[in-house]
Amino acid sequence: MKISHNWLKEYIDISLKPAVLAENLSKVGLEVGGYEDFAAKYEKFVVGEVLERGNHPNADRLSLCKVNVGSEVLEIVCGAPNVAAGQKVPVALVGATIPRNQHDPEGKSFTLERAHIRGIQSNGMICSSFELGLGEDANGILVLKRSAKPGMPFAKFLGLTDVLYDMEVTANRGDWLSHIGVAREIQMITGKKASLIRTRIKESKTLTKNHATIRILDEQKCRRYSSRVLKNVKLGPSPQWMQDRLQSVGIRPINNIVDVTNYVLMETGQPLHAFDYDTLAGHAIVVKCAAEGEKFTTLDGKERILKADTLMICDGERPVAIAGVMGGANTEISEGTTTVLIESANFDPSSVRRTSKYLGLSTDASQRFERGVDIEMTLYAANRAAQLIQEFTGAEVLKGSIDVYPKKARPTFVSLRVKRTNAVLGTSLSKQEIISSLRRLELIPAAQTKETVKFRVPSFRYDIAEEIDLIEEVARAYGYDNVETKTRMTVDFSKPLRTTSLQDEIRNYLIGAGFNEILTYSLQDRVKGHLMADKAVEVLNPVSAEASVLRTSLVPGALTVVQHNRSHGQKDLRLFEIGNVFGLRGEKPEKTLDAYVEEERLLVLLSGNVISAQYGSEHRTADLFDLKGEIQALISKFCLDKYRFIYYDSASALIESALAVEINGTYAGFLGEVGKSIAQRFDIDGALFVCELRVSDLQRGWATEKKLIPLPRFPGVHRDLAFVVNAGIQHETVARGIREAGGTLLANLVLFDLYVGDQIGAGNKSLAYSLEFQPLDRTLTDREIDAEVLRIVKHVEATCNAKLRAL
Amino acid sequence: MTEKINQVRVAFDNELSGAVTGDELEQVRVKFLSRNGAIAQLFEEMKSVPAAEKPVLGKLLNTLKNAAQGAFDERKKTLSQSKEQRTRSIDLTLPGRPKPIGTKHPLTQTMDEIKKIFMTMGFSVATGPEIETDYYNFGALNFPPEHPARDMQDTFFIAKDILLRTHTSPVQIRTMEQQRPPVREIMPGRVYRNEAVSARSLVSFHQIEGLYVDRGVTFSDLKGTLVAFAHQFYGKDVKFKFRPTFFPFTEPSADMYISCFLCKGEGCRMCKFVGWLEIMGSGMVHPHVLQNVGYDPEVFTGFAFGMGIERIACLRYGVDDLRLFYENDVRFLQQF
Ligand SMILES: [Zn+2]
């Protein structure tokens, strides 16, 4: 929202410099995003006239000029090749800040001083458009038009005497969307009175009410409708000053009638609409809702389909405007218009908002109605518009206005407790201080007790309805800066503090194990979203197809990361992510949260070399067992030994050689190799291993409380055994056999060699294990161990059809 | 004479043990063991001692000479050996065996640091779902059903009344519903906004929100707590200011700014030449919100605050394209 400094001055006396005003407005919450004060920027720049140009006595390329700057004639040294007598030029006087220095690499600004250039004193500077910050031309001075008057301030010459503030208006303050609204805020800052311009209209004898009728059929949606009728209007351009003002705040001038309605809108915040009176059937206005599906063409030439709750302005026969949003083409002001009916109405905010949203049509009018418009402003605005049109066109204003106001709004009164105010803000303000600061906001005390003040809320303050709203006003008026910044704080330990989470621990562990944490988008395209699951949660109103489905797994996102890194030459990847994935419990989205699954998962990915190319050792690419080892270590760390891997025949092409991970008897996720066909979709040609686990399952098994298991006091004994078995026999089967026979004495079992080859016959393999026997209560004798080993060997030979291999 | 021999022995022992380089060792040799060295000198002097003393002194001197020569040879050997080891048998300039370097994502790092600071102030961590109801995301937070305030946060919808949360504030409601004051929680998480993707905006990002509700909590406490945080996180010398703003769920509401830590308030590209950086939104919890969770606003007051992690990480690390955080280029990740 653009607000003009000069325009504001119509309503309030402002002596503050724009920079100070901007800072003060930001301090009370009306944020000034930016502004350019040309009068300040070009404070010591004037129009000059080059009277004489001579050569500098000591330098060939420099000129010595006599320049008339209005009040005096200055000698100025100039280096520009294009300077000549008779020119009108921009002159910076001593003390001016030159916006850009063309001799500085960064073009930094500098302050002009009286200087001796090659022995001659120069008392100013003739500037290029680069130096002025007006353009990029640094090759010569800027030559102004001949009519420019020497001595005229340069900003004035440019017509840049105004300051335009870019205001960021918060959603609660519709009243700030006008110059009077901003002026009222300045009233709070400076205490000077803000007021609207008095309207004076010369009315004719003809009575308005005999020439037009207005009826409101929906009093809920239209709370007030004020109107004026003007005859003998001569359509034409509005005066230049008004066109300039409208343009300065970003409104395109159209004609004197439309310009006046826009001007009054920017002045008062009251949206107006002008109808061509002669096109209104029966010279009537009827405010009512549309028929469902009814069609209507708006001013912009677009046909709109209306709904049964769309409030319309109609004439005696048909709709002529969408209330509070946009007028219709059928009653538009045009060349032939001679009589005008001005609408100045107040519409229900949510009704306007619904209509604007439904039509996808947001206008200056709808934006204001949505936020709330001062209901007491309609009549003034209609009169103000009539006055201006009469002033510009000499139109005849019919006598009296029509003002349909079915239920006059009662003023709002809100009470404020002084003690409560201080209790919320942490201040110690007195009642009197509060009253005097709120008075500047036109909040008038209507009644008071020792502790409480009842304020009358002005009609333009839609946002004030209860005590906390007044407390906020007190805080703004008192100044946030003035509220003490309390540095003493009490720490409260009445509730147990959890300073770390499993997620933190997993992160730290994996980082220590050399993994890089990644974070990927949770909104994906359809293909990725459905890669790992058939049912996915979809967004009804996506911005783009790439972000329309909530991820069902962390795998597709990770594959995208692998793809990116591989395409940049990074092939050895160790990645992990912790994040939420989503799903549908039933067949389709429902309107309760129970219909959706949201669970946190951990993804771990290995790709490329696990042992990189190095001296003295062979490099080795990752295989499934590298990842399995990492996951075993991770789960062991957090869930002790309550887990196992189950081989399952993955039917999908996504994950090959898959293992299900079970923790505490519950399926917690899987690990495996990403299927070739999937990898290829992501342009990945090497092998890729992933594991995805539910964090809640790790959490359930996470042993946060730990108890010492006493260390063995007696020495353990190692024995190695190797079995030759049929290649079809799994390690797990043999290991189970060893454990079963070994009983409690067998503390540890490690597979240390796997051999396939001629020595043991085709179709066989050799599995070599290192066994550790650990007694708890005594030292084992060799005989005991031999017996133990013999039992194991017999058992394994019997159950696994194995043969002991001599070691 | 006996005394002289002892003196030479002590001096030799001292100097030999002090010699660590070949040059120093050579000096010891010249001083004691050479033809004109101290020991040779003693043999010279032997010529002039009385004959009766000669056998004893001679033995003593010979012992010294042999011991010194032996000690010297021994030392010379070890010295040259260690030198040889250094230079020949092991190339100590070989690189260490490569190890993969793990890294925490910069956004997680930023979030962790913020969490840690608030935890030391007694805040705990709470989380909530990303798929939310209209009630938790808007209604309970005092967003009127038909109000432009809803436009502040463009929303992704999943079904009627089901949406992707636009802020972490629903967790405030969920937390307060589950416990009685005092409530002192921070709430990190992912949020979603229906906006076009660019270097400056993404459809989802991370927020961290905080809530403190108890008896007697004031706007003054809000300022104190957030300034304490800013001083810990951005440095003791940053200046700060609070400016009024509007959020439906807090009143009064305040945006917090700190002086630009890059240019110290002079104005630079990062702070868009204003010298200040907006770092978070905050405010006193609106009485309606307290009522919605069954707290009596006459008894309890509180403040809430929230900040965007991506924005803070961008400022911290000088990242000017948000998308880099989600591209996960390992060359990017390994810088943090
Ligand atoms: Zn800066």
Side-chain angles (χ1 to χ4, degrees):
Chain A
M1 163 91 187
K2 286 232 187 296
I3 291 285
S4 146
H5 187 85
N6 289 350
W7 197 339
L8 284 174
K9 284 174 159 174
E10 303 260 347
Y11 317 106
I12 188 165
D13 192 8
I14 304 174
S15 53
L16 297 177
K17 283 247 157 57
V20 181
L21 185 66
E23 173 60 18
N24 278 300
L25 285 171
S26 292
K27 268 189 191 171
V28 297
L30 181 45
E31 193 186 341
V32 179
Y35 65 93
E36 190 132 39
D37 182 355
F38 288 99
K41 186 176 178 181
Y42 296 131
E43 203 190 333
K44 288 194 167 159
F45 290 76
V46 294
V47 174
E49 181 182 13
V50 182
L51 300 175
E52 283 174 31
R53 192 211 71 86
N55 289 329
H56 190 291
N58 311 324
D60 290 346
R61 295 184 173 209
L62 297 179
S63 310
L64 183 54
C65 305
K66 285 202 161 62
V67 184
N68 170 17
V69 293
S71 52
E72 57 185 318
V73 174
L74 299 175
E75 279 217 324
I76 295 174
V77 176
C78 179
N82 64 331
V83 66
Q87 284 172 339
K88 302 284 171 58
V89 289
V91 178
L93 305 176
V94 170
T97 301
I98 312 294
R100 291 198 289 181
N101 182 352
Q102 57 191 41
H103 303 296
D104 181 272
E106 283 173 47
K108 278 193 186 148
S109 66
F110 68 100
T111 303
L112 186 68
E113 285 162 18
R114 187 166 283 120
H116 287 269
I117 299 171
R118 296 281 186 102
I120 302 281
Q121 180 168 294
S122 181
N123 301 303
M125 178 171 151
I126 307 176
C127 302
S128 68
S129 61
F130 180 89
E131 286 159 335
L132 291 164
L134 291 173
E136 294 311 309
D137 188 1
N139 293 326
I141 53 163
L142 179 66
V143 180
L144 308 176
K145 59 183 176 191
R146 283 186 175 280
S147 57
K149 288 207 172 56
M152 186 188 242
F154 186 60
K156 197 173 171 193
F157 165 79
L158 290 173
L160 300 172
T161 50
D162 199 3
V163 178
L164 293 165
Y165 303 100
D166 228 330
M167 304 272 182
E168 279 159 38
V169 175
T170 51
N172 59 330
R173 293 301 300 267
D175 62 308
W176 280 344
L177 295 170
S178 66
H179 282 80
I180 186 66
V182 175
R184 286 182 184 128
E185 216 53 43
I186 298 170
Q187 169 177 290
M188 167 166 100
I189 294 163
T190 63
K192 295 246 169 68
K193 180 93 187 94
S195 44
L196 287 162
I197 289 161
R198 289 239 332 252
T199 56
R200 281 192 203 83
I201 307 172
K202 277 177 259 142
E203 294 182 330
S204 70
K205 296 234 168 63
T206 322
L207 283 172
T208 312
K209 61 180 181 187
N210 292 341
H211 283 79
T213 56
I214 292 171
R215 279 194 303 151
I216 302 174
L217 298 187
D218 192 327
E219 295 179 0
Q220 216 81 55
K221 292 194 171 85
C222 177
R223 298 186 288 202
R224 188 174 184 184
Y225 199 111
S226 309
S227 181
R228 276 279 184 182
V229 176
L230 293 92
K231 279 190 165 176
N232 301 323
V233 171
K234 274 182 246 29
L235 206 65
S238 55
Q240 195 58 46
W241 66 264
M242 182 173 277
Q243 294 191 33
D244 290 347
R245 276 221 172 137
L246 288 175
Q247 248 161 352
S248 73
V249 298
I251 294 175
R252 190 166 56 90
I254 295 167
N255 57 49
N256 43 16
I257 309 300
V258 175
D259 289 358
V260 164
T261 59
N262 283 330
Y263 186 85
V264 176
L265 167 71
M266 298 312 292
E267 179 174 56
T268 63
Q270 170 67 52
L272 298 180
H273 184 65
F275 292 103
D276 182 339
Y277 171 88
D278 295 319
T279 62
L280 291 171
H283 300 151
I285 292 287
V286 181
V287 187
K288 61 175 187 186
C289 282
E292 182 76 33
E294 196 175 345
K295 286 178 181 150
F296 179 70
T297 306
T298 40
L299 277 176
D300 53 7
K302 291 210 176 93
E303 190 179 75
R304 316 271 174 180
I305 295 161
L306 310 173
K307 295 212 317 192
D309 72 340
T310 310
L311 188 70
M312 301 299 293
I313 311 299
C314 305
D315 61 11
E317 294 165 358
R318 56 191 176 151
V320 293
I322 302 174
V325 182
M326 194 179 264
N330 53 11
T331 49
E332 192 181 354
I333 302 292
S334 61
E335 292 281 334
T337 303
T338 57
T339 306
V340 169
L341 183 143
I342 290 167
E343 165 193 296
S344 180
N346 192 287
F347 302 109
D348 174 55
S350 35
S351 161
V352 172
R353 181 178 153 83
R354 267 199 306 276
T355 302
S356 159
K357 284 261 145 183
Y358 162 70
L359 295 173
L361 181 61
S362 174
T363 60
D364 281 334
S366 72
Q367 281 163 21
R368 284 168 177 81
F369 281 124
E370 275 180 39
R371 292 173 144 112
V373 171
D374 181 3
I375 198 162
E376 302 305 338
M377 187 59 89
T378 57
L379 198 54
Y380 172 85
N383 289 338
R384 174 76 170 139
Q387 177 208 355
L388 287 166
I389 295 171
Q390 184 170 55
E391 214 173 272
F392 299 163
T393 73
E396 173 192 347
V397 181
L398 303 201
K399 190 169 176 64
S401 54
I402 301 178
D403 183 18
V404 185
Y405 192 1
K407 274 183 228 126
K408 180 153 172 53
R410 288 217 205 95
T412 309
F413 292 92
V414 178
S415 292
L416 178 82
R417 291 165 294 170
V418 175
K419 208 169 139 192
R420 169 75 176 172
T421 306
N422 288 319
V424 171
L425 300 180
T427 48
S428 47
L429 296 165
S430 70
K431 188 171 81 174
Q432 215 40 56
E433 284 172 297
I434 290 172
I435 289 174
S436 63
S437 56
L438 291 191
R439 206 184 274 279
R440 287 183 168 197
L441 285 161
E442 300 180 36
L443 288 155
I444 310 302
Q448 47 181 298
T449 64
K450 197 159 161 263
E451 244 302 300
T452 309
V453 191
K454 191 195 226 178
F455 288 94
R456 187 195 156 112
V457 180
S459 60
F460 52 83
R461 288 304 300 271
Y462 264 84
D463 59 313
I464 299 178
E466 53 193 313
E467 187 180 34
I468 194 70
D469 303 325
L470 288 179
I471 293 174
E472 180 183 41
E473 294 308 293
V474 174
R476 289 199 312 122
Y478 179 59
Y480 282 16
D481 291 345
N482 298 322
V483 175
E484 186 205 353
T485 301
K486 197 168 149 192
T487 47
R488 285 165 293 109
M489 249 166 291
T490 54
V491 181
D492 167 48
F493 292 110
S494 64
K495 294 209 162 71
L497 266 182
R498 271 192 91 177
T499 52
T500 183
S501 64
L502 177 64
Q503 289 85 336
D504 293 336
E505 298 282 341
I506 292 174
R507 269 192 201 100
N508 291 340
Y509 170 78
L510 286 171
I511 290 161
F515 286 84
N516 296 124
E517 186 188 16
I518 59 172
L519 287 174
T520 63
Y521 296 119
S522 29
L523 281 167
Q524 303 177 326
D525 62 43
R526 247 158 201 288
V527 175
K528 282 189 196 122
H530 286 97
L531 204 57
M532 303 293 286
D534 297 333
K535 288 182 295 175
V537 182
E538 300 199 9
V539 170
L540 293 178
N541 55 334
V543 251
S544 67
E546 284 90 69
S548 58
V549 176
L550 281 167
R551 61 184 175 190
T552 51
S553 158
L554 299 178
V555 174
L559 293 182
T560 312
V561 173
V562 173
Q563 180 180 21
H564 168 88
N565 279 293
R566 289 182 69 95
S567 72
H568 289 82
Q570 307 287 322
K571 297 199 167 155
D572 302 343
L573 298 170
R574 301 164 71 82
L575 307 175
F576 77 99
E577 177 170 16
I578 297 175
N580 288 344
V581 303
F582 307 84
L584 284 172
R585 230 177 269 284
E587 284 307 311
K588 56 181 191 354
E590 308 279 352
K591 52 185 193 178
T592 54
L593 275 192
D594 308 340
Y596 305 91
V597 188
E598 185 171 333
E599 68 181 32
E600 193 171 26
R601 294 220 184 134
L602 162 68
L603 170 130
V604 183
L605 180 148
L606 267 185
S607 162
N609 283 330
V610 274
I611 298 175
S612 55
Q614 57 184 277
Y615 62 92
S617 175
E618 281 287 307
H619 75 94
R620 187 167 67 76
T621 55
D623 63 23
L624 186 68
F625 301 99
D626 286 309
L627 182 62
K628 192 179 177 186
E630 298 284 0
I631 300 306
Q632 274 177 331
L634 173 86
I635 303 178
S636 305
K637 177 156 175 61
F638 295 107
C639 301
L640 303 170
D641 54 356
K642 293 165 283 189
Y643 72 94
R644 62 189 183 123
F645 295 94
I646 305 161
Y647 170 75
Y648 75 102
D649 197 13
S650 161
S652 80
L654 295 175
I655 305 296
E656 291 168 357
S657 324
L659 288 170
V661 182
E662 207 176 72
I663 298 173
N664 286 342
T666 317
Y667 172 80
F670 68 89
L671 78 85
E673 178 172 0
V674 176
K676 289 277 176 292
S677 61
I678 298 298
Q680 271 161 16
R681 270 206 235 169
F682 291 87
D683 306 323
I684 302 165
D685 47 13
L688 200 64
F689 303 93
V690 291
C691 173
E692 191 173 26
L693 298 174
R694 260 202 306 258
V695 175
S696 61
D697 289 308
L698 290 167
Q699 184 90 49
R700 219 168 296 127
W702 188 28
T704 42
E705 276 180 38
K706 294 180 177 152
K707 273 268 157 26
L708 175 72
I709 300 163
L711 300 179
R713 286 163 51 220
F714 301 93
V717 181
H718 284 274
R719 286 294 166 90
D720 290 347
L721 287 177
F723 293 100
V724 175
V725 292
N726 185 288
I729 302 280
Q730 293 184 339
H731 147 77
E732 192 58 45
T733 313
V734 179
R736 200 186 314 125
I738 296 173
R739 277 200 208 95
E740 279 164 6
T744 52
L745 216 49
L746 181 66
N748 208 359
L749 170 70
V750 174
L751 174 72
F752 73 88
D753 190 35
L754 171 66
Y755 174 76
V756 180
D758 297 342
Q759 295 178 26
I760 51 167
N764 286 335
K765 66 181 173 187
S766 159
L767 297 165
Y769 296 94
S770 169
L771 281 58
E772 188 188 358
F773 296 95
Q774 180 60 65
L776 290 177
D777 51 356
R778 67 208 141 95
T779 301
L780 289 175
T781 63
D782 279 353
R783 279 182 59 187
E784 272 179 295
I785 295 164
D786 288 345
E788 224 19 77
V789 169
L790 192 63
R791 200 148 53 92
I792 290 171
V793 170
K794 283 206 164 134
H795 184 75
V796 173
E797 281 182 341
T799 55
C800 304
N801 194 20
K803 277 215 167 54
L804 184 68
R805 190 178 168 213
L807 276 174
Chain B
M1 189 64 194
T2 313
E3 205 174 317
K4 267 194 175 164
I5 293 171
N6 278 334
Q7 276 170 3
V8 171
R9 187 202 311 278
V10 170
F12 173 80
D13 285 347
N14 274 341
E15 295 202 21
L16 183 71
S17 65
V20 284
T21 67
D23 282 351
E24 286 167 356
L25 204 63
E26 178 59 14
Q27 279 170 22
V28 174
R29 192 193 63 80
V30 172
K31 189 167 174 186
F32 295 96
L33 298 171
S34 69
R35 219 183 300 157
N36 301 313
I39 294 173
Q41 285 284 310
L42 289 176
F43 276 105
E44 202 59 39
E45 285 174 35
M46 271 293 284
K47 288 176 185 162
S48 53
V49 299
E53 291 180 48
K54 265 187 184 164
V56 179
L57 285 173
K59 204 175 172 190
L60 211 57
L61 198 53
N62 270 321
T63 311
L64 170 66
K65 189 192 162 192
N66 291 338
Q69 191 63 51
F72 177 82
D73 289 343
E74 189 65 28
R75 167 51 68 96
K76 194 171 175 181
K77 206 165 125 198
T78 55
L79 204 66
S80 66
Q81 244 172 18
S82 67
K83 203 165 159 191
E84 192 175 46
Q85 267 168 10
R86 259 205 314 274
T87 54
R88 246 182 271 160
S89 67
I90 298 177
D91 177 0
L92 291 173
T93 68
L94 285 176
R97 303 252 174 235
K99 292 280 168 213
I101 299 161
T103 52
K104 194 180 272 186
H105 195 281
L107 293 177
T108 313
Q109 287 186 40
T110 307
M111 201 132 53
D112 280 357
E113 262 187 74
I114 296 169
K115 279 201 291 200
K116 245 184 252 164
I117 293 170
F118 283 108
M119 279 178 181
T120 62
M121 297 191 220
F123 284 76
S124 299
V125 178
T127 55
E130 292 171 34
I131 298 179
E132 263 296 2
T133 62
D134 184 89
Y135 175 74
Y136 282 105
N137 196 73
F138 291 123
L141 289 161
N142 197 37
F143 283 80
E146 306 271 354
H147 196 270
R150 290 193 173 216
D151 295 343
M152 291 159 74
Q153 301 176 355
D154 283 327
T155 312
F156 283 122
F157 291 97
I158 301 293
K160 186 177 166 25
D161 292 333
I162 301 289
L163 43 80
L164 293 178
R165 66 177 178 192
T166 56
H167 45 191
T168 40
S169 312
V171 190
Q172 285 188 26
I173 304 296
R174 291 181 177 279
T175 305
M176 287 193 282
E177 277 179 346
Q178 278 161 20
Q179 62 181 86
R180 298 291 303 164
V183 175
R184 211 192 278 242
E185 303 278 345
I186 42 170
M187 297 154 270
R190 243 177 224 227
V191 302
Y192 299 81
R193 299 278 169 90
N194 192 341
E195 288 163 2
V197 172
S198 72
R200 304 238 133 245
S201 121
L202 297 177
V203 291
S204 75
F205 57 96
H206 294 80
Q207 266 190 348
I208 194 160
E209 187 140 336
L211 175 71
Y212 177 30
V213 179
D214 201 353
R215 288 167 207 269
V217 179
T218 69
F219 189 66
S220 181
D221 294 305
L222 176 156
K223 283 183 73 182
T225 306
L226 300 188
V227 168
F229 162 75
H231 281 163
Q232 290 293 327
F233 193 76
Y234 293 103
K236 203 73 202 156
D237 53 346
V238 298
K239 292 196 270 299
F240 60 87
K241 65 181 185 184
F242 289 85
R243 292 291 174 256
T245 187
F246 170 71
F247 304 111
F249 42 99
T250 54
E251 190 168 15
S253 304
D255 278 331
M256 183 183 186
Y257 295 78
I258 56 162
S259 53
C260 177
F261 45 79
L262 198 69
C263 64
K264 308 278 171 228
E266 293 280 307
C268 68
R269 230 172 60 117
M270 187 167 84
C271 59
K272 301 204 187 87
F273 302 96
V274 293
W276 293 95
L277 298 166
E278 188 186 329
I279 55 159
M280 66 173 122
S282 65
M284 298 302 292
V285 180
H286 198 288
H288 293 177
V289 174
L290 295 175
Q291 275 159 356
N292 289 340
V293 297
Y295 290 4
D296 182 353
E298 289 293 313
V299 179
F300 300 108
T301 49
F303 63 79
F305 54 89
M307 54 196 126
I309 302 302
E310 273 80 352
R311 179 177 154 71
I312 289 171
C314 278
L315 294 175
R316 274 208 127 185
Y317 304 123
V319 175
D320 57 9
D321 188 338
L322 288 173
R323 289 169 294 198
L324 281 174
F325 289 122
Y326 291 89
E327 203 172 67
N328 299 291
D329 192 309
V330 292
R331 296 164 301 176
F332 171 83
L333 297 175
Q334 286 177 351
Q335 291 183 33
F336 302 99

